Amino acid sequence: MDSGDLRFSIRVVFALCLVCFSVGFDPVDKYYVNCGSSNDVKVGNSIYVADKSASKFLTTPQDILADSNLNSITPSEESLLYRTARIYTGPSKYTFSISQNGRHWIRLYFYPFVYQNYDMRSASFTVFAQKTALVSDFTPKNVTVKEFSVNVMSGDLVIAFSPSSNSFAYINALEVVSVPDSLIVDHASLFNPSGEFNGLVNQALETVARVNMGGPFVSFSNDTLGRTWVSDRSFLLQPNLATNESKISAVKYPQGGPTTDIAPPTVYGTCTMMNSGSDPNSNFNVTWVFSVDPGFQYLIRLHFCDIVSTAANQLVFNVYIDSFLVSPDLELSTKSGGQLATAYYMDFVTTPFDKSKLGLSIGPSPRSAYPGALLNGLEIMKMNNSRGSLAGAAILPTFPGSKKNLGVIVGVSIGVPLALVMIGILFFMHRRRRQERLRHSRTWVPISINGGTTMGSKYSTGTTISVGSNMSYRIPFIAVQEATNNFDESWVIGIGGFGKVYKGILNDGTKVAVKRGNPRSQQGLAEFRTEIEMLSQFRHRHLVSLIGYCDEKNEMILVYEYMENGTLKSHLYGSNLPNLSWKQRLEICIGAARGLHYLHTGDAKAVIHRDVKSANILLDENLMAKVADFGLSKTGPELDQTHVSTAVKGSFGYLDPEYFRRQQLTEKSDVYSFGVVLFEVLCARPVIDPSLPREMVNLAEWAMKWQKKGQLDQIIDPNLVGKIKSDSLRKFGETGEKCLADFGVDRPSMGDVLWNLEYALQLQEATVHNDPEENSTNVIGQLSPQVGDFNHVDASPSVAQFETSSVDDLSGVSMSRVFSQLVKSEGR
Ligand SMILES: *[C@@H]1O[C@H](CO)[C@@H](O)[C@H](O)[C@H]1NC(C)=O
Ligand SMILES: *[C@@H]1O[C@H](CO)[C@@H](O)[C@H](O)[C@H]1NC(C)=O
Ligand SMILES: *[C@@H]1O[C@H](CO)[C@@H](O)[C@H](O)[C@H]1NC(C)=O
Ligand SMILES: *[C@@H]1O[C@H](CO)[C@@H](O)[C@H](O)[C@H]1NC(C)=O
Ligand SMILES: *[C@@H]1O[C@H](CO)[C@@H](O)[C@H](O)[C@H]1NC(C)=O
């Protein structure tokens, strides 16, 4: 090699390095998360790390890691990300620590699949970034990538997931990456009327379209900022009027102008243009049409690069956004000092858009020597609205975990149904004081009506509900009247201590259950408030949801989701409903146990239901169980000590004897009552039946007698005889027995009960069992140390071991021992 060659090589290497430096934007913050997986995966040059719950990173009430068991979903680079998902049954969040303020990408990857009881195609949820709702009541139907960019001013970026009522949320992968400051500058042009928009820097943006005109799909690995660009063919209104050109190597990035971070050469180097061919009289537009959400403003970025002209000033054309001439007589060469093939872009901001289609056209200008027009790239970004939201629907729950935001206007209504009935009704009240009294903020409730202000509520009697978060649930009396056909007696579906329960139908056809309290008594009022307070704070698949309430005219009305199949009790005895199978009964018990477990281990303070009974376990159209009736609930045992006078409450036959004796209330009282429910489910008879011989009157005593003799099978529901596997029955009986222990300390927690019921279900369904070593009596004992400290979400590594098992919805409790037990008994 002579010195000339060497010099040449050095120059080449030097040039390459320059390219490296100029091309590679190195984001300061970069988080790539492979959700619901215990393994990291590499996609492109990024490693998506497995998310771990209960870290600062991820906070979620349950730990559900879903695996699609598919090797490939779509043959794309990011397929690996879609293999697993994390499911959230309650408000959950990721917290990313941000080291450099400024704009950050947020990319969310969804692929719905069916995992155990969770059909993700029907999931519905809201995602927030800080206080911006990114999507609301969102149901991805297929592989979906959502890209946003938000300006993070300090500290942490919190991305939160809130399931819609009765649903759950999920995500397959997630990324948060710094964006170079130069990408979105503060101002853009306005048209109609023309002017300048300032303040772009503070906008949250959602990418609606990012298109490579006249070129192919550009994958994220070919873009310095990890963006993808799609081909424009499918957006062209009349593809025959357009043609394309490609000259990627000709693209120049001018000094002080756009860089490859604005758009890569594969975008600037291809274009779609007027197909004027050899006709010098061509006079038409090339138009692209995009779907947008009405009601928002859009940032539209047009990328140009004249790769077709052979000399400056050859090409002059017009650009229209939705029929407005935004750039008349555009002559690209004048933008770059006479140079051709030079990257150039323009930003426009629309006025709030009232249509769902946005058109963009290019067409000839009479000033052009020859008719022609071109476009190289296009980006359409939705801007947050004045409420700071990017979500289109009217349903905007508050940002979970944000105290400040409670009571602030965040949306229009709880939902279209209520919007319809609530329209026109505004409440103006003060709110500041009440907010401070909020004890928890894990609600996602407050909603205002039709843009009105939401705030505290005052009873007509002068009593104030001290929960700021529930106010938005208010429903006008007239709407309730309409829904129940003016409290038609023939629409009564139940009568309880509190009053009558009516079936109701809201304007839009939604079925509801309307509970109307007896004329206001002090006790009724207290229960009414407790119920609203509880239900507006706790949302769970297995707790019945409150849709609203009405306290006008001294009324105490609660409106719930309608539970098609009524009470568990009605399916056990005293009606002509078809018998439930053992599996159905176990699943119902498991669902109810989950609801109670959630209450007992809630985020802030444990809640004791105090009236657990089969009449308070409701079944939806799929026989899914939901716990109802929170009127007697209490938060935390300590609360009771300050209210010592409280009379013993609850229902006979279910009452914890220890509570009765000592008047000391703990979660274990619910466990006792639940134990009675278990035997009720097994024996299908009332818990107190005075018509029976004395020793049989009380179900709990009667069942315990047979359980202790080991002959529980003698008293089970005749319809179940021969249908329960003996192991399953044994496990179930032992679980019930433990629940009915005389002293609370000897009873298992709801978490333990849940796992043992799951186990009983597994034993029922397992084909091979009868492990001689398996002595299930000590399952509860073995589990207690682990499950006992399960208050929030357990971060122990055993969760990961467990996720592959077939046990339904493990919900975050570490139970590797039960798992090994299952493996053992099933594996023989
Ligand atoms: C989902 O998307 C893939 C491509 O990503 C497509 O092949 C498939 O047909 C879509 N499925 C449905 C149901 O639309
Ligand atoms: C370019 O145009 C031709 C026909 O004019 C079309 O078949 C082709 O798909 C276009 N290429 C792109 C990338 O749009
Ligand atoms: C994208 O990059 C790959 C290599 O990483 C290359 O083979 C491919 O041609 C590129 N595609 C485009 C559109 O530039
Ligand atoms: C192109 O579109 C604009 C806006 O819709 C319209 O005003 C103009 O007349 C069109 N030009 C041609 C040649 O059709
Ligand atoms: C977007 O939100 C910011 C602050 O959250 C607000 O200042 C801005 O006005 C909003 N944008 C629009 C177009 O309303």
Side-chain angles (χ1 to χ4, degrees), residues 727-752:
D727 278 352
S728 179
L729 178 60
R730 182 162 47 88
K731 171 95 312 195
F732 189 86
E734 283 163 5
T735 310
E737 181 183 1
K738 287 272 180 188
C739 292
L740 296 187
D742 279 338
F743 298 99
V745 288
D746 298 328
R747 295 176 204 146
S749 70
M750 265 337 281
D752 297 340

Side-chain angles (χ1 to χ4, degrees), residues 171-235:
I171 181 134
N172 301 72
L174 162 65
E175 61 192 62
V176 169
V177 182
S178 301
V179 172
D181 291 339
S182 59
L183 189 71
I184 303 290
V185 294
D186 201 47
H187 46 86
S189 306
L190 288 168
F191 54 95
N192 180 36
S194 61
E196 186 160 274
F197 181 92
N198 291 301
L200 264 188
V201 161
N202 298 318
Q203 293 294 312
L205 300 172
E206 174 183 354
T207 308
V208 174
R210 183 179 288 125
V211 190
N212 181 17
M213 267 57 194
F217 175 80
V218 178
S219 87
F220 60 83
S221 53
N222 290 32
D223 182 283
T224 54
L225 303 184
R227 296 164 295 197
T228 52
W229 302 74
V230 300
S231 155
D232 69 323
R233 291 299 288 186
S234 62
F235 301 107

Side-chain angles (χ1 to χ4, degrees), residues 294-316:
F296 287 88
Q297 285 179 271
Y298 291 86
L299 169 62
I300 295 175
R301 176 167 289 184
L302 304 165
H303 296 276
F304 296 102
C305 184
D306 184 354
I307 52 170
V308 298
S309 292
T310 49
N313 314 109
Q314 254 176 21
L315 185 68
V316 187

Side-chain angles (χ1 to χ4, degrees), residues 391-410:
I395 308 150
L396 288 182
T398 40
F399 172 70
S402 133
K403 289 203 166 81
K404 276 186 232 127
N405 214 20
L406 285 173
V408 170
I409 316 164
V410 284

Side-chain angles (χ1 to χ4, degrees), residues 115 203 208 252 264 332 404 543 626 638 667 674 742 746 811:
Y115 175 73
Q203 293 294 312
V208 174
K252 293 190 281 287
L332 291 172
K404 276 186 232 127
L543 299 183
K626 300 194 184 208
E638 68 272 39
E667 306 91 280
F674 191 73
D742 279 338
D746 298 328
S811 314

Side-chain angles (χ1 to χ4, degrees), residues 518-722:
N518 296 322
R520 196 168 283 176
S521 66
Q522 215 41 49
Q523 149 144 26
L525 182 59
E527 292 181 14
F528 179 63
R529 285 199 216 161
T530 310
E531 179 107 15
I532 297 171
E533 190 177 332
M534 292 296 162
L535 282 177
S536 53
Q537 283 170 27
F538 298 95
R539 289 197 158 254
H540 189 269
R541 253 158 82 79
H542 295 290
L543 299 183
V544 77
S545 327
L546 184 68
I547 289 177
Y549 72 90
C550 170
D551 60 354
E552 271 170 56
K553 306 185 188 166
N554 260 16
E555 289 283 350
M556 293 189 294
I557 296 172
L558 295 162
V559 180
Y560 305 89
E561 61 177 320
Y562 185 71
M563 299 292 283
E564 200 73 45
N565 275 308
T567 68
L568 167 60
K569 187 176 179 177
S570 68
H571 288 260
L572 294 175
Y573 48 86
S575 74
N576 297 323
L577 295 170
N579 288 310
L580 296 170
S581 71
W582 181 235
K583 181 175 182 234
Q584 285 172 322
R585 295 184 204 203
L586 281 172
E587 282 169 347
I588 290 166
C589 292
I590 288 168
R594 265 195 205 136
L596 290 171
H597 174 61
Y598 169 79
L599 283 181
H600 289 179
T601 58
D603 252 12
K605 226 179 231 176
V607 169
I608 304 166
H609 185 285
R610 292 219 298 175
D611 201 11
V612 174
K613 55 182 178 181
S614 59
N616 280 342
I617 296 172
L618 304 182
L619 305 175
D620 74 2
E621 67 276 17
N622 303 315
L623 292 176
M624 187 171 89
K626 300 194 184 208
V627 178
D629 214 331
F630 295 79
L632 298 181
S633 310
K634 288 261 181 227
T635 45
E638 68 272 39
L639 209 119
D640 213 43
Q641 280 152 18
T642 58
H643 294 250
V644 192
S645 66
T646 336
V648 171
K649 287 182 187 143
S651 299
F652 277 109
Y654 295 94
L655 262 189
D656 170 11
E658 189 181 36
Y659 169 48
F660 198 77
R661 281 194 305 271
R662 302 176 47 203
Q663 309 215 351
Q664 201 184 55
L665 189 66
T666 72
E667 306 91 280
K668 295 297 178 70
S669 300
D670 282 352
V671 174
Y672 182 93
S673 309
F674 191 73
V676 179
V677 171
L678 292 181
F679 286 117
E680 202 182 348
V681 163
L682 181 69
C683 305
R685 53 149 281 187
V687 293
I688 301 282
D689 188 346
S691 68
L692 291 170
R694 220 192 128 149
E695 74 275 18
M696 292 176 68
V697 169
N698 184 316
L699 171 63
E701 285 172 17
W702 177 242
M704 282 294 270
K705 196 160 139 189
W706 290 93
Q707 164 64 18
K708 289 204 163 112
K709 281 198 279 187
Q711 294 177 354
L712 196 57
D713 56 331
Q714 299 295 306
I715 60 160
I716 65 173
D717 181 355
N719 294 304
L720 293 174
V721 170

Side-chain angles (χ1 to χ4, degrees), residues 74 141-143:
T74 49
K141 294 286 185 217
N142 200 347
V143 170

